[in-house]
């Protein structure tokens, strides 16, 4: 980059380091709304399976 004498120097920002916490696919599973949704779906599947196995 060329710096001309009458211009202010360009702003040099340090590179942003990558976050220390790596977010993998299990990060999404730790979110409360998703866990609540999966719990509801799992409960409905369990109730449907029990209903099919034991018809009262």
């Amino acid at each position: 980059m060329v710096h001309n004498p009458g211009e202010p120097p360009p702003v040099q920002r340090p590179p942003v380091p990558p976050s220390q916490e790596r977010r993998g696919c299990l990060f999404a599973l730790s979110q409360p709304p998703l866990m609540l949704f999966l719990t509801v779906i799992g409960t409905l599947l369990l109730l449907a399976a029990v209903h099919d196995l034991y018809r009262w």
Side-chain angles (χ1 to χ4, degrees):
M1 179 176 271
V2 177
H3 174 65
N4 293 330
E7 299 175 358
V11 177
Q12 296 284 334
R13 293 188 180 145
V16 178
S19 67
Q20 299 296 332
E21 177 184 343
R22 295 190 63 187
R23 292 184 177 183
C25 59
L26 291 179
F27 175 74
L29 289 177
S30 68
Q31 303 304 310
L34 180 61
M35 288 303 295
L36 182 62
F37 173 75
L38 292 177
T39 302
V40 169
I41 296 299
T43 302
L44 291 175
L45 287 172
L46 179 66
L47 289 175
V50 169
H51 183 280
D52 284 344
L53 288 174
Y54 308 105
R55 295 182 187 256
W56 287 293

